[in-house]
Amino acid sequence: MSPRSFLAATLYLFSATGLFGYGNAGHEAIADVAAYYLKGTPAEKKVAELLDQPDENLARAATWPDRAKLPEKYLTDEMKDFVTHNPEHHSYHYCDVPFQETAYREGTTGTNPNDIVHIMQQCIQVLMDPAPAPENERHFTKRQALFLLVHLAGDIHQPLHVGSSYVDSADKFVNPNTGAKGQEDAGANYFKLTKSISLHGYWDTVAVKAVRDHVAAGQDFAAYLLEAEKPRPEWKTEGALITWPEKWASDVLQLAPEVFRGIALSERHTEPADERRPEHDEWKVTLPPDYAERAAGIVQVELAQAGYRLAQLLQAIWP
């Protein structure tokens, strides 16, 4: 793909999806942090065996699932195979648990078999299976499972890829699990800071840029994160591997109330249905004065933690 074509594809992806995880910069930094912790381990060798193309490494793998959202003309044959077997793959990147909840609970509002927790669990199963091409309902190859797992480990540490708000007719936040009725905010994609930037996009890119602004000239983003955020005891995950995605979702859900604390909704209006979304209401959002500092502080920790936990997970899959 030419540089011009890649730029056009990237711009299309940013404008069309609205669910970008931490953007390329964040996902690549998470992967580079994980690569640091994997050095010299059997897991590093297993990853290298799966990422066997000349231009492939963990950072490149981290953006593969977002690149698979591009129009077909930009997709590799491997991506086309993935999309054919997974027409709902856009929904694999998140769940929409009400931010008032304290834990991810399967079967409650905002969870479903195609959500980020379930997809990560299947990826773990595929990678742990000793067979070279295990049977699974979504036809994930081991390479595709690795691509997804590396990417989704970042997504699941972005608060708005787990927690969501639901807004009632009086523009108040409600929890549908209590019986209240409200429209979901689509991971805060329906909350607009400007015409082109949603609150979701703010956490994906603007907050990440705020962290990157602290990186010294010539310093690598991942190196900065490794220096600024040392591993904490609570980053370590215990128990059966299949339970780790749910535990991580519950962890990040504790941060979701901070996303919505102090924001003000106004100028509610209805957007018509299109090819991606049903008819829905959107709101203008005003942020409190301390919001940028709070968001950057959370994002810095979560980027470093996601890289650490990804390495821990891959080492547990391939001890």
Side-chain angles (χ1 to χ4, degrees), residues 180-222:
K181 295 187 181 299
Q183 181 200 281
E184 68 168 302
D185 66 14
N189 275 292
Y190 296 161
F191 292 167
K192 301 297 184 179
L193 300 175
T194 67
K195 186 176 181 179
S196 59
I197 299 179
S198 68
L199 186 60
H200 186 106
Y202 179 95
W203 281 81
D204 280 352
T205 57
V206 177
V208 173
K209 183 181 182 303
V211 177
R212 292 184 74 191
D213 286 344
H214 294 290
V215 179
Q219 185 182 25
D220 180 77
F221 190 15

Side-chain angles (χ1 to χ4, degrees), residues 106-119:
E106 185 171 356
T108 60
T109 301
T111 70
N112 65 77
N114 285 327
D115 71 23
I116 188 170
V117 169
H118 288 85
I119 297 304

Side-chain angles (χ1 to χ4, degrees), residues 82-145:
F82 169 73
V83 171
T84 296
H85 288 111
N86 295 272
E88 297 180 322
H89 68 98
H90 288 249
S91 68
Y92 293 176
H93 298 244
Y94 60 91
C95 53
D96 287 315
V97 178
F99 75 84
Q100 298 92 338
E101 294 290 329
T102 59
Y104 176 100
R105 292 181 293 131
E106 185 171 356
T108 60
T109 301
T111 70
N112 65 77
N114 285 327
D115 71 23
I116 188 170
V117 169
H118 288 85
I119 297 304
M120 290 185 73
Q121 288 173 336
Q122 180 160 356
C123 291
I124 291 169
Q125 291 174 327
V126 170
L127 291 175
M128 291 183 70
D129 194 314
E135 290 296 326
N136 58 81
E137 59 182 310
R138 294 182 177 86
H139 300 270
F140 294 162
T141 66
K142 286 187 179 291
R143 277 172 54 85
Q144 291 168 354

Side-chain angles (χ1 to χ4, degrees), residues 25-26 28-33 37 208 211-212 215 219-231 235 296 299-305 307:
E28 290 170 353
I30 289 167
D32 286 340
V33 168
Y37 288 119
V208 173
V211 177
R212 292 184 74 191
V215 179
Q219 185 182 25
D220 180 77
F221 190 15
Y224 166 80
L225 293 171
L226 286 162
E227 181 179 324
E229 301 294 340
K230 303 300 183 184
W235 290 9
V299 166
Q300 178 168 296
V301 174
E302 292 305 296
L303 290 173
Q305 179 176 223

Side-chain angles (χ1 to χ4, degrees), residues 2-258:
S2 71
R4 184 183 296 272
S5 296
F6 181 78
L7 175 60
T10 302
L11 291 173
Y12 174 90
L13 179 59
F14 184 80
S15 63
T17 63
L19 289 169
F20 219 166
Y22 274 122
N24 285 352
H27 280 293
E28 290 170 353
I30 289 167
D32 286 340
V33 168
Y36 171 85
Y37 288 119
L38 288 174
K39 286 180 181 177
T41 68
E44 181 186 39
K45 295 180 180 179
K46 287 290 187 179
V47 168
E49 289 173 7
L50 289 174
L51 304 180
D52 58 357
Q53 301 302 311
D55 63 340
E56 289 184 334
N57 55 29
L58 214 57
R60 181 67 172 164
T63 64
W64 190 95
D66 273 345
R67 288 183 282 117
K69 299 176 184 176
L70 294 169
E72 185 177 5
K73 64 180 180 179
Y74 298 115
L75 302 185
T76 64
D77 289 341
E78 188 173 28
M79 289 175 177
K80 290 176 183 177
D81 174 74
F82 169 73
V83 171
T84 296
H85 288 111
N86 295 272
E88 297 180 322
H89 68 98
H90 288 249
S91 68
Y92 293 176
H93 298 244
Y94 60 91
C95 53
D96 287 315
V97 178
F99 75 84
Q100 298 92 338
E101 294 290 329
T102 59
Y104 176 100
R105 292 181 293 131
E106 185 171 356
T108 60
T109 301
T111 70
N112 65 77
N114 285 327
D115 71 23
I116 188 170
V117 169
H118 288 85
I119 297 304
M120 290 185 73
Q121 288 173 336
Q122 180 160 356
C123 291
I124 291 169
Q125 291 174 327
V126 170
L127 291 175
M128 291 183 70
D129 194 314
E135 290 296 326
N136 58 81
E137 59 182 310
R138 294 182 177 86
H139 300 270
F140 294 162
T141 66
K142 286 187 179 291
R143 277 172 54 85
Q144 291 168 354
L146 179 60
F147 293 147
L148 286 164
L149 203 57
V150 173
H151 180 86
L152 298 181
D155 280 351
I156 206 168
H157 285 87
Q158 205 273 52
L160 287 171
H161 275 253
V162 177
S164 188
S165 80
Y166 292 76
V167 186
D168 69 9
S169 58
D171 291 345
K172 302 296 183 184
F173 294 132
V174 297
N175 183 352
N177 287 328
T178 66
K181 295 187 181 299
Q183 181 200 281
E184 68 168 302
D185 66 14
N189 275 292
Y190 296 161
F191 292 167
K192 301 297 184 179
L193 300 175
T194 67
K195 186 176 181 179
S196 59
I197 299 179
S198 68
L199 186 60
H200 186 106
Y202 179 95
W203 281 81
D204 280 352
T205 57
V206 177
V208 173
K209 183 181 182 303
V211 177
R212 292 184 74 191
D213 286 344
H214 294 290
V215 179
Q219 185 182 25
D220 180 77
F221 190 15
Y224 166 80
L225 293 171
L226 286 162
E227 181 179 324
E229 301 294 340
K230 303 300 183 184
R232 307 175 186 184
E234 63 269 23
W235 290 9
K236 189 172 182 179
T237 316
E238 304 287 355
L241 295 189
I242 204 69
T243 68
W244 288 18
E246 183 174 338
K247 290 177 179 178
W248 293 353
S250 293
D251 279 354
V252 82
L253 197 56
Q254 313 307 309
L255 302 173
E258 278 295 290

Side-chain angles (χ1 to χ4, degrees), residues 266-278:
S266 62
E267 299 183 21
R268 180 177 187 146
H269 68 280
T270 301
E271 288 288 324
D274 59 24
E275 68 276 6
R276 293 184 294 120
R277 293 178 176 140

